[in-house]
Amino acid sequence: MESATLYLVLFTCLMFAPVTSMNMSCNFEHDCPYTESPNTEIVSGPHHPPGSARGHSLKFPFSADAFNHNLLTSSTFTLAEKSCLSFWAKAENVWGNVNVWYQKSGITNIAIGNFNVYPKDDWKQFQAEIFPFTDGQIEFRIITFDSESVIYMDDIDLNVGKCKKLET
């Protein structure tokens, strides 16, 4: 009888335990828990942020319809604790925006952050704190403003805890 109670308690704890071990990071070198829109491409070469492993990044070309193109969407997951989302981005030719959203079926999308990316800058790191949620997704909407513009993204990390101040 005691072992049945122990199994019930273990099952209950596992069933309702928050998911904290899901890796939602991506460096575009290996499998990534994000799905990109068809017009994007993973490129290699000189387009990578400082310290990046091999130089693969995701290229977002200009798109007049940024709400259906130039998207990067995570798998559905549960975020159990306040966490820091960070990523690197770089623009070529014309500036653009990286808009980050939390989305869940049946609710209005919630803005996490809006980040301007300028061609005068080299790779730049951005970050935002995200509050816990259940069964949602993180979506990056990349907006470019000219047919010559391109935005690159790399090294997406989601880590439990507050964001640390970035060095400038």
Side-chain angles (χ1 to χ4, degrees):
M1 185 74 166
E2 289 178 17
S3 64
T5 303
L6 178 61
Y7 287 125
L8 179 60
V9 169
L10 254 173
F11 174 75
T12 304
C13 288
L14 290 173
M15 189 171 147
F16 296 106
V19 177
T20 57
S21 61
M22 181 172 278
N23 183 359
M24 296 309 295
S25 297
C26 179
N27 64 7
F28 302 103
E29 304 296 328
H30 308 287
D31 292 339
C32 189
Y34 294 83
T35 302
E36 64 266 1
S37 52
N39 63 319
T40 61
E41 69 177 296
I42 294 177
V43 295
S44 62
H47 301 289
H48 60 90
S52 187
R54 294 189 188 138
H56 289 95
S57 59
L58 190 60
K59 177 181 177 181
F60 295 93
F62 168 75
S63 175
D65 185 4
F67 293 102
N68 292 318
H69 302 291
N70 286 358
L71 301 177
L72 183 64
T73 307
S74 75
S75 304
T76 300
F77 70 104
T78 294
L79 186 64
E81 299 177 55
K82 186 175 184 180
S83 297
C84 181
L85 173 71
S86 74
F87 63 93
W88 290 79
K90 175 181 177 30
E92 280 188 356
N93 301 321
V94 178
W95 72 282
N97 288 50
V98 177
N99 297 302
V100 185
W101 297 84
Y102 159 71
Q103 60 183 23
K104 182 175 180 172
S105 180
I107 68 165
T108 305
N109 292 344
I110 298 170
I112 294 171
N114 176 16
F115 306 96
N116 295 323
V117 185
Y118 298 99
K120 66 177 178 55
D121 297 330
D122 197 7
W123 282 96
K124 187 172 179 182
Q125 187 177 24
F126 298 94
Q127 60 185 21
E129 290 182 355
I130 303 177
F131 291 93
F133 59 79
T134 57
D135 299 327
Q137 296 174 299
I138 295 173
E139 181 179 84
F140 294 88
R141 294 179 188 164
I142 288 66
I143 301 172
T144 55
F145 299 102
D146 184 277
S147 61
E148 298 296 317
S149 62
V150 173
I151 292 181
Y152 297 91
M153 272 185 66
D154 203 357
D155 294 347
I156 301 167
D157 286 309
L158 184 61
N159 297 302
V160 172
K162 290 183 143 195
C163 292
K164 295 177 173 78
K165 186 176 180 180
L166 295 174
E167 294 179 19
T168 55

